[in-house]
Structure formats: structure tokens, C-alpha cells
Amino acid sequence: MTVFLDSNIILDIFLKNKDFYAENQELFKLLDTHHNIDYFVSAASATDIFYIASKHLKDKEKTKEYLKSLFEIVSIAGIDEACIKNALNSSWSDFEDSVQHESALQIGADFLVTRNVNDFKTAFVEVITPSEFLKKVSR
């Protein structure tokens, strides 16, 4: 199974967002226990996560260390010319979400996990919340 994680999932964990931390932490525990699941974030997410987290934490080195440890367990999905052109030619109103969607499509993701499901209404990949994903995996 291939799972694409939206950047908000990673940021909720790293910044300990109290509203979503517990649920997303459960999702991250799966990384160690379900070895038949491949997790990805987009290359664009890596830069977004670094920028937001380092601004919030005011510590670029800590942010780098977090990303290094993250990318030992989560792979990076590329963003290439086709991805960008497809996103630009899509009918999506939010370019960043369209790029995330195109990146998920390119890796053949079974699921795109985000807490902003409504941002991906016209997706060609199944878009679910972390809690919905946890229910599917625990079956």
C-alpha cells in the first residue's frame, strides 16, 4: 500500500498541534509496525515543512534534524515538469493542493491522508483523514 501524507499531517506532529497531535501520532506509530505500507511526502512539502517549522521553532538546526529523521522512514515523492504542468492545467483553485495531488498520482498512491479533505474534492486518489486511515489499516 502506498500512502501520500499531506504536509499538515507532518507539521501537526512536529509542532505538537494540540488539536491533531494525538491522532497523527497514532498514524506515525504505524510506520514502525506496518512494513507493508510505503509513506511519501512531496518534495514541495519538505520545503514547506522546513520553512514553517523553522519559523515556529526559531531553530533551523532542530528542524533539519527532524527532517533527517523523518526521511529515514518516509520517502520523498518528486515534483517534475509533468506534475507542475498538470497542476497548472487542472481546474483546481488551489495550485499547491493540485501539485500535492499530482505528486500523489505520480507515485500511484492508494490514499492521500490530510485533515483538509475538502481541499481535494476532485481528486483521482482516495483522500481520507488520519482517523479514517487508521480505521482502514486496523481492519
Side-chain angles (χ1 to χ4, degrees):
M1 176 187 314
T2 302
V3 178
F4 185 93
L5 301 172
D6 197 6
S7 53
N8 57 39
I9 304 300
I10 308 298
L11 285 166
D12 286 344
I13 291 289
F14 188 42
L15 301 178
K16 294 185 169 74
N17 182 334
K18 64 180 173 133
D19 295 329
F20 305 103
Y21 182 76
E23 179 178 72
N24 290 333
Q25 189 176 34
E26 284 300 311
L27 190 148
F28 266 73
K29 287 179 184 175
L30 291 177
L31 296 173
D32 291 329
T33 59
H34 285 75
H35 299 289
N36 58 337
I37 302 174
D38 296 318
Y39 293 92
F40 287 84
V41 298
S42 74
S45 289
T47 60
D48 292 346
I49 291 165
F50 181 84
Y51 177 79
I52 293 167
S54 64
K55 288 280 187 194
H56 180 79
L57 297 172
K58 298 178 183 10
D59 188 339
K60 288 184 179 183
E61 287 308 311
K62 183 175 182 179
T63 304
K64 281 183 183 179
E65 290 307 312
Y66 171 74
L67 286 174
K68 287 177 186 177
S69 63
L70 174 69
F71 295 132
E72 289 179 11
I73 55 176
V74 174
S75 298
I76 301 171
I79 305 279
D80 63 9
E81 182 177 356
C83 182
I84 296 299
K85 285 182 177 179
N86 289 340
L88 286 169
N89 290 317
S90 76
S91 61
W92 291 43
S93 61
D94 187 303
F95 179 67
E96 182 181 6
D97 290 338
S98 184
V99 170
Q100 293 287 75
H101 174 252
E102 290 297 326
S103 184
L105 286 175
Q106 282 189 348
I107 62 163
D110 298 297
F111 300 102
L112 189 157
V113 180
T114 181
R115 64 177 153 79
N116 299 325
V117 173
N118 288 335
D119 293 347
F120 296 90
K121 285 183 180 176
T122 59
F124 295 115
V125 61
E126 186 172 353
V127 180
I128 57 177
T129 64
S131 62
E132 292 168 332
F133 180 71
L134 289 168
K135 287 176 190 169
K136 283 186 180 281
V137 173
S138 66
R139 290 182 191 160

